[in-house]
Amino acid sequence: MTTRTGLYIDGDWSEGASTIENRNPSDISDVIGQYAQADAGQLDAALAAARRAQPEWWAAGIQKRHDVLMAIGTELMARADEIGRLLSREEGKPLAEGRGEVYRAGQFFTYFAAEVLRLHGDLAESVRPGIEIDVRREPVGVVAIVSPWNFPVATPAWKIAPALAFGNAVVWKPANVTPASAVALTEIIAGQDIPRGLFNLVTGPGRDVGQRLVDSADIDAISFTGSVGVGRGIAASAVTNMTKVQMEMGSKNPLIVMDDADLDLAVTHAAGSAFGGTGQKCTAASRLIVHSKVQDAFVERLVAAAEALKVGHALEDGTQIGPVVSEGQLAQNLDYIALGTSEGAELLCGGGRLERATEGYFMAPAVFAGTRNDMRINREEMFAPITCVQRADSYDEALSLANDTQFGLTAGIMTRSLARASHFRDNMRAGCVMVNLPTAGTDYHVPFGGRGASSFGPREQGRYAAEFYTSVKTAYVAAGAPE
Ligand code: NDP
């Protein structure tokens, strides 16, 4: 099979105005390919094609949309190994995670294939006799999807699947460091019997192609995942054009470890959610708030766990932590290590660049102790294999520290007390709360999103996704006089 590197616009693959080189972060001598970059004219062509195709897709009906989504999901799951390998090669997550991500992407499509059949409306009586009211959901129209590199197949899948399920057309701008995963997903969608132009892939730089896309008055909705800074700009563009917008951005997720916690489990969940995916997850546990009674024992075991993690080539057997995604991200991580030290935090392990058999962006997982919640390393999303331990003398203090953040995506508590767990669930200001579980790791059939600077607009995933990808219409019908 030929590996495509182009744009997919109006039902055709085409060359870009220019290309970028895509390299493997585990081995920068490994060139994955030269990937096309769209110009303004190509983006406009994609927008026009999407606008033309959308009514045909809506009119095709629910059985057709169900069948197409089911076919995409089934193919993703069947090819999870092959596409997962490509994903891991370009993004750097260990192969098992790459495979798992592609399989999960398939589940988003099969889930929304079923949701196609469940999009029921409501009937209401009118307060005025002789009138019937129905409330139905219709597509919003053309949806612009802007996605990040850290889940280069799953994140677009949880946006594209509901967009198509509910009858919309899509113009997708993926992250520029993971174009191969974007092309692989697009090939599967393009292989379906769908209207020309219904689905379009426009790769290119965010500040250029992405900006033009979100500024366009020819889109009806924007779904974005990425950084808070870019998100703020997108929200401003959306308000200017009155475009519906949904955004999932960063976080600074706390994991509270109480004095009655199972410490081994707490260490496993803390290390897993802090360092899994090289810490490049919006759900990563980056603030570990530990009761002072168990602080020393917890920190000692956490450092041992961090040091035992095998950092290496994403495709090598036994690798638990792959490389950082790019040179720029690695440089930013190392700056955060220097910042934490200068703020007075104690670096207990890791934090340096690692040499491996191949030249890549490897970094040793880092634990900072003795941190305060007002330090920048506890306030800014680092998106790095770095976690910060801070002390709390009581549950109330721990909860107050956990809530003292501009973010609110996920939050966890490790405790054997049902009373505390319930209180935490009710009083933690976050979109997802976890009890005796890692902060990272969510299901595909329930809503996902946060509060504060972590999210903006309606929730993603599960039945709640219909809120964003559809528009509600209320119809008043009077029979009139019989003929
Ligand atoms: P960005 O927010 O810059 O990128 C996310 C997506 O937005 C990419 O597709 C990007 O394109 C695009 N984009 C960038 N600028 C614009 C723009 N002006 N208008 C429209 N689209 C744009 O995140 P980065 O990838 O640069 O990562 C930086 C930081 O963001 C990370 O360190 C992390 O803190 C956070 N982040 C959070 C994520 C999350 O899941 N919550 C995911 C990724 C990042 P391009 O790739 O071409 O720049």
Side-chain angles (χ1 to χ4, degrees):
M1 184 183 298
T2 32
T3 306
R4 293 185 193 275
T5 58
L7 313 165
Y8 186 68
I9 296 170
D10 199 7
D12 288 318
W13 289 94
S14 51
E15 298 297 313
S18 60
T19 57
I20 45 152
E21 192 169 71
N22 183 19
R23 285 178 186 261
N24 177 349
S26 298
D27 174 3
I28 57 177
S29 69
D30 173 23
V31 177
I32 299 164
Q34 307 288 334
Y35 284 82
Q37 304 281 277
D39 64 17
Q42 288 171 314
L43 174 61
D44 292 348
L47 288 165
R51 181 64 65 199
R52 279 196 306 274
Q54 188 272 326
E56 189 187 335
W57 178 237
W58 177 238
I62 59 174
Q63 187 65 54
K64 175 73 182 174
R65 296 204 303 278
H66 166 276
D67 293 350
V68 166
L69 267 85
M70 191 59 88
I72 297 169
T74 307
E75 186 168 345
L76 276 165
M77 289 191 267
R79 292 175 58 193
D81 188 56
E82 168 212 339
I83 299 173
R85 191 168 287 274
L86 181 66
L87 190 168
S88 291
R89 186 171 159 218
E90 81 166 350
E91 196 272 349
K93 62 185 63 178
L95 184 52
E97 290 178 34
R99 255 191 226 122
E101 177 176 339
V102 175
Y103 195 86
R104 171 54 61 97
Q107 290 174 312
F108 282 114
F109 278 95
T110 55
Y111 171 81
F112 279 106
E115 285 301 287
V116 170
L117 307 176
R118 289 196 198 102
L119 195 64
H120 300 162
D122 288 322
L123 286 178
E125 283 189 38
S126 172
V127 294
R128 292 168 284 165
I131 297 176
E132 286 178 359
I133 300 175
D134 69 66
V135 182
R136 62 182 71 200
R137 289 186 179 273
E138 296 184 347
V140 273
V142 175
V143 181
I145 292 175
V146 180
S147 60
W149 44 263
N150 60 330
F151 286 93
V153 178
T155 301
W158 78 58
K159 297 174 186 295
I160 295 165
L164 296 181
F166 300 134
N168 302 286
V170 169
V171 178
W172 176 29
K173 208 305 277 176
N176 228 6
V177 284
T178 48
S181 300
V183 168
L185 176 55
T186 300
E187 280 184 325
I188 292 177
I189 299 171
Q192 310 303 319
D193 176 24
I194 53 175
R196 273 181 96 77
L198 178 74
F199 180 84
N200 302 270
L201 170 71
V202 284
T203 39
R207 62 180 181 282
D208 173 5
V209 176
Q211 188 69 51
R212 189 176 173 88
L213 174 61
V214 299
D215 282 344
S216 171
D218 292 328
I219 52 172
D220 302 295
I222 307 167
S223 183
F224 167 76
T225 299
S227 61
V228 176
V230 170
R232 283 192 207 287
I234 289 179
S237 301
V239 168
T240 302
N241 291 328
M242 301 292 177
T243 307
K244 201 169 180 183
V245 66
Q246 164 194 76
M247 306 194 297
E248 198 270 294
M249 296 161 290
S251 196
K252 203 67 200 169
N253 309 296
L255 179 68
I256 295 176
V257 180
M258 287 308 301
D259 50 348
D260 64 350
D262 174 337
L263 266 202
D264 286 331
L265 191 64
V267 168
T268 302
H269 288 344
S273 42
F275 305 129
T278 324
Q280 301 171 148
K281 290 184 185 177
C282 48
T283 52
S286 48
R287 293 187 298 142
L288 304 178
I289 301 169
V290 184
H291 195 284
S292 40
K293 280 193 196 151
V294 292
Q295 160 101 9
D296 291 348
F298 174 81
V299 167
E300 191 184 320
R301 291 186 217 183
L302 178 67
V303 168
E307 287 178 336
L309 287 168
K310 186 167 178 253
V311 181
H313 195 299
L315 300 180
E316 216 169 77
D317 274 351
T319 292
Q320 292 169 293
I321 307 288
V324 172
V325 73
S326 65
E327 192 160 13
Q329 194 73 29
L330 177 60
Q332 180 179 299
N333 297 355
L334 299 178
D335 285 348
Y336 271 117
I337 294 291
L339 174 71
T341 309
S342 75
E343 286 184 303
E346 195 186 349
L347 182 63
L348 297 184
C349 66
R353 189 170 183 163
L354 296 173
E355 304 262 311
R356 289 292 178 262
T358 50
E359 195 185 338
Y361 309 123
F362 304 106
M363 177 175 171
V367 176
F368 273 122
T371 73
R372 290 189 322 272
N373 207 43
D374 61 357
M375 291 176 171
R376 277 180 59 198
I377 52 169
N378 271 322
R379 305 214 73 81
E380 296 170 16
E381 180 175 57
M382 297 188 270
F383 232 54
I386 306 173
T387 196
C388 303
V389 180
Q390 54 184 307
R391 174 188 290 266
D393 291 327
S394 65
Y395 165 72
D396 288 344
E397 188 190 358
L399 179 65
S400 141
L401 288 169
N403 273 325
D404 177 16
T405 173
Q406 63 161 322
F407 297 111
L409 186 55
T410 71
I413 188 166
M414 301 297 302
T415 181
R416 288 189 172 100
S417 158
L418 179 59
R420 274 194 194 127
S422 303
H423 187 273
F424 176 79
R425 184 190 57 199
D426 295 347
N427 292 282
M428 182 70 224
R429 288 191 300 273
C432 309
V433 292
M434 316 292 192
V435 175
N436 295 319
L437 287 166
T439 57
T442 53
D443 285 4
Y444 62 89
H445 65 301
V446 286
F448 175 68
R451 296 190 186 182
S454 291
S455 288
F456 189 81
R459 284 284 186 266
E460 303 199 76
Q461 301 179 25
R463 282 192 289 116
Y464 290 67
E467 207 48 51
F468 178 71
Y469 291 99
T470 63
S471 181
V472 171
K473 180 179 278 175
T474 311
Y476 295 82
V477 179
E483 281 178 21

